[in-house]
Amino acid sequence: MEMMKISTLSAFSFRLSTILLALCFFNFPITRAASGSAYESFLQCLTQQTNSSEQQISNIVVTQTNSSYASVLRAYIRNARFNLSSTLKPTVIITPLQESHVSAAVICSKQVGFQLKIRSGGHDYEGLSYISDRPFFILDMFNLRSIDVDVKDESAWVEAGATLGELYYRIWQKSELHGYPAGVCPTVGVGGHLSGGGYGNMLRKFGLSTDNVVDAKIVDARGRILDRKAMGEDLFWAIRGGGGASFGVVLAYKIKLVPVPETVTVFRAERLLAENASDVVYKWQLVAPATDDNLFMRMLLQPVTRNKKPTVRASIVALYLGGADSLVTLLAKDFPELGLKKENVMEMSWIQSVLWWANFDNGTSPNVLLDRDLNSADFLKRKSDYVQKPIPKYSLNLLWKQMMELGKIGLVFNPYGGKMAEIPASETAFPHRAGNLFKIQYSISWGDPGTEIEEDRLSQATSLYSFMTPFVSKSPRSAYLNYRDVDIGINHHGEDSYAEGKVYGEKYFNGNFDRLVKVKSMVDPENFFRNEQSIPTEQSKA
């Protein structure tokens, strides 16, 4: 999306598309189809496909009349914006206990003509895994969460419904010298995280989560269970960064574990504008993507109030795969503006660093990683950008002014470089590699419902995104699939499906988009697996 200076008209169109989408999501009545013939046909089909009794099938199919329906639906809704009373609810929630249940769910949903939404952890920022504008089923993978760690082979099979916290815990149980490069939020589901790319605080050393996937199992549109050999390299390529939900239901990934040292080091450093924050932020852009690959320094920028006056706080949160002495020496050379001393850092084990990054107190048991933190959700909005040239100092001063005026929205800068610059853009479906200094996440959350506060917070996100236009990637203005953002385009899956898909598809996938379309057309020509931002088929080209 080219937005060098958003005109009044284009800004209106941009906002209107968001409003129309919201209307699609929120203004439909709750369907009662669960009691109709479609549901009966679906149940009968499941019984036949799985060779199960109706009683057995009733254990995995949750209808709207079931007493546990509301709690099962709510348990993995992580954005409260999409859990309103007016939000269209799924006709049924299918909670498979084994792989054959997934195959049957695909075959039978297709047979009765219902859209199937696939949910693993529910962290999709726009709720696309659990909302729709027409009657639909949810296939919720939370019961398929087994993790088989093989330290000798330095690998693990992880089912899609497992969380990152569970994965880290199971690795730690087997070895304190192995880890996996994935996200810092323990409740994120493996299925969506890995299929959309997935990254964490070791990406400069080891690349993305999906760069460390060596095999997978998927249920395709025909209900077949396929591993890497059976699915072929094209589909295996697509589900590593292209999003699994466009192509099938990912059952599990075989991942490659990575070595972690016995001791790692973490630190958090904060600066306000009066404490040389501008100098620190500018220098961070030069250092963070170019320093030692063992060092990852995330930077958060947030408007705050100090002494009743608005200012901006810059916080650097870091993981170093090594000891404190070498880290302090490294930053004294590369980043003297930070003034880091040994007393400002902490040494710990890798699993302790996982807990520290997840904001748990020091000394917390790793057992907490098994807690799925059910039924908790804030209202939130996220957007993303990529930066390929450092933002000049004078422009940073304008940014501070804009952030203080808006008042709530923050930015998260995640550095690239290292391994990310070595892997070709076409190696996996995830394209954002060499040439990117860092990725931006626009982040705003709020705790209370209400139209007025939501409009304000969404407006802040749109305004700051518009302000950043001159400083980010162009042609296309790229975005990160796992920071799902419906503002950049949606698909109605009509005769313009390819054209609509290309709008957001080229932002998420750059030059890999058309290859993804070819894979989609090959494995799901009828477009059964679809959502508001899925990959379209070639058949929908004008």
Side-chain angles (χ1 to χ4, degrees):
M1 183 186 298
E2 297 298 332
M3 298 176 65
M4 284 300 294
K5 292 287 184 181
I6 295 184
S7 67
T8 302
L9 179 60
S10 62
F12 173 77
S13 301
F14 185 80
R15 186 72 185 123
L16 180 60
S17 66
T18 306
I19 294 170
L20 291 175
L21 181 62
L23 290 173
C24 287
F25 284 167
F26 296 145
N27 285 351
F28 284 81
I30 296 176
T31 178
R32 305 305 301 173
S35 59
S37 59
Y39 169 67
E40 296 299 333
S41 299
F42 177 71
L43 215 59
Q44 185 178 9
C45 176
L46 277 182
T47 303
Q48 294 171 346
Q49 289 291 331
T50 59
N51 294 317
S52 303
S53 67
E54 288 191 15
Q55 178 59 42
Q56 290 171 319
I57 290 300
S58 67
N59 290 333
I60 66 167
V61 178
V62 184
T63 70
Q64 292 184 359
T65 58
N66 191 302
S67 60
S68 63
Y69 176 88
S71 60
V72 172
L73 176 62
R74 186 177 65 248
Y76 295 95
I77 291 180
R78 304 300 189 189
N79 188 345
R81 289 175 58 208
F82 307 116
N83 192 29
L84 304 178
S85 60
S86 55
T87 308
L88 179 67
K89 305 299 191 293
T91 301
V92 298
I93 305 169
I94 309 148
T95 61
L97 297 171
Q98 56 198 49
E99 293 178 349
S100 63
H101 294 162
V102 178
S103 296
V106 170
I107 292 168
C108 297
S109 298
K110 201 172 183 181
Q111 181 173 300
V112 300
F114 269 64
Q115 185 177 13
L116 188 66
K117 292 290 187 107
I118 306 147
R119 185 167 74 169
S120 54
H123 280 268
D124 186 319
Y125 285 145
E126 298 285 9
L128 302 191
S129 63
Y130 53 85
I131 60 174
S132 180
D133 62 359
R134 63 198 67 189
F136 70 109
F137 299 157
I138 288 180
L139 180 63
D140 203 316
M141 303 292 284
F142 67 86
N143 283 323
L144 294 178
R145 61 173 81 171
S146 73
I147 301 168
D148 183 14
V149 177
D150 185 339
V151 174
K152 185 176 180 181
D153 186 51
E154 296 189 309
S155 69
W157 271 104
V158 190
E159 287 191 314
T163 65
L164 297 183
E166 291 165 349
L167 173 58
Y168 299 149
Y169 181 87
R170 299 303 175 198
I171 294 172
W172 168 74
Q173 277 188 314
K174 295 289 186 74
S175 169
E176 296 189 23
L177 296 177
H178 288 87
Y180 185 65
V184 301
C185 177
T187 58
V188 167
V190 164
H193 188 71
L194 270 64
S195 73
Y199 80 98
N201 52 25
M202 295 196 290
L203 93 162
R204 302 190 64 253
K205 179 70 171 181
F206 298 112
L208 301 172
S209 307
T210 204
D211 295 329
N212 294 275
V213 167
V214 295
D215 203 345
K217 294 175 75 175
I218 189 172
V219 173
D220 73 357
R222 293 164 59 184
R224 300 177 299 175
I225 299 175
L226 309 172
D227 62 7
R228 178 176 181 173
K229 183 177 180 181
M231 76 177 76
E233 289 303 300
D234 285 331
L235 181 52
F236 184 64
W237 173 86
I239 62 171
R240 289 177 297 141
S246 290
F247 306 97
V249 183
V250 175
L251 295 170
Y253 281 108
K254 185 180 182 181
I255 63 171
K256 178 175 60 179
L257 305 183
V258 300
V260 294
E262 186 175 347
T263 300
V264 304
T265 307
V266 300
F267 73 84
R268 182 184 186 99
E270 297 183 351
R271 298 289 187 275
L272 299 173
L273 293 182
E275 302 168 327
N276 84 323
S278 293
D279 291 338
V280 167
V281 172
Y282 178 76
K283 186 64 176 288
W284 178 94
Q285 299 179 95
L286 308 179
V287 174
T291 190
D292 190 306
D293 293 357
N294 290 296
L295 177 59
F296 177 86
M297 293 188 290
R298 168 178 281 182
M299 184 162 64
L300 300 88
L301 305 175
Q302 188 71 33
V304 296
T305 300
R306 292 293 182 269
N307 298 320
K308 298 182 180 180
K309 293 182 180 180
T311 185
V312 173
R313 179 182 63 210
S315 306
I316 294 177
V317 187
L319 172 70
Y320 178 66
L321 300 173
D325 288 334
S326 59
L327 171 61
V328 172
T329 300
L330 171 67
L331 288 183
K333 172 178 171 290
D334 283 3
F335 204 172
E337 292 83 354
L338 200 57
L340 196 72
K341 297 180 172 58
K342 191 171 181 180
E343 56 264 31
N344 305 133
V345 307
M346 289 186 291
E347 291 185 333
M348 56 185 62
S349 67
W350 178 75
I351 195 67
Q352 288 172 327
S353 77
V354 168
L355 296 167
W356 185 87
W357 271 80
N359 297 316
F360 290 108
D361 294 334
N362 290 338
T364 300
S365 167
N367 290 340
V368 74
L369 296 173
L370 303 179
D371 182 3
R372 290 183 167 235
D373 192 28
L374 302 181
N375 300 325
S376 64
D378 287 329
F379 297 84
L380 58 90
K381 175 65 181 179
R382 304 289 188 266
K383 299 176 75 67
S384 62
D385 260 320
Y386 286 88
V387 174
Q388 296 163 343
K389 296 179 181 178
I391 303 170
K393 279 188 178 180
Y394 66 85
S395 298
L396 288 176
N397 290 327
L398 297 176
L399 174 59
W400 309 148
K401 183 175 183 291
Q402 177 78 358
M403 292 181 72
M404 287 186 286
E405 287 177 356
L406 292 172
K408 295 294 183 182
I409 188 163
L411 299 174
V412 184
F413 289 4
N414 293 286
Y416 274 27
K419 187 74 171 179
M420 291 297 289
E422 299 170 9
I423 299 173
S426 59
E427 181 75 15
T428 67
F430 179 94
H432 312 293
R433 306 287 189 172
N436 291 297
L437 296 177
F438 56 95
K439 172 173 58 188
I440 296 177
Q441 177 176 198
Y442 301 77
S443 177
I444 191 163
S445 303
W446 60 102
D448 299 317
T451 303
E452 188 173 337
I453 189 171
E454 177 164 320
E455 288 180 351
D456 173 75
R457 300 306 188 257
L458 296 181
S459 176
Q460 288 194 38
T462 302
S463 295
L464 193 57
Y465 183 81
S466 175
F467 174 86
M468 292 297 292
T469 302
F471 313 116
V472 299
S473 60
K474 300 168 180 64
S475 300
R477 182 173 184 172
S478 296
Y480 175 41
L481 180 67
N482 276 0
Y483 290 172
R484 185 80 75 177
D485 179 12
V486 295
D487 295 349
I488 66 172
I490 60 167
N491 203 321
H492 299 88
H493 300 290
E495 60 182 19
D496 297 324
S497 179
Y498 175 81
E500 289 181 341
K502 189 173 183 178
V503 173
Y504 57 82
E506 289 191 336
K507 295 176 177 65
Y508 285 138
F509 307 114
N510 295 8
N512 290 338
F513 172 68
D514 276 327
R515 182 177 174 187
L516 285 167
V517 172
K518 286 183 169 61
V519 176
K520 169 72 172 181
S521 304
M522 176 180 65
V523 302
D524 184 20
E526 296 176 357
N527 195 28
F528 174 71
F529 293 108
R530 65 190 184 276
N531 60 50
E532 291 77 3
Q533 286 193 334
S534 57
I535 301 297
T537 63
E538 286 184 306
Q539 290 89 324
S540 61
K541 281 187 177 181

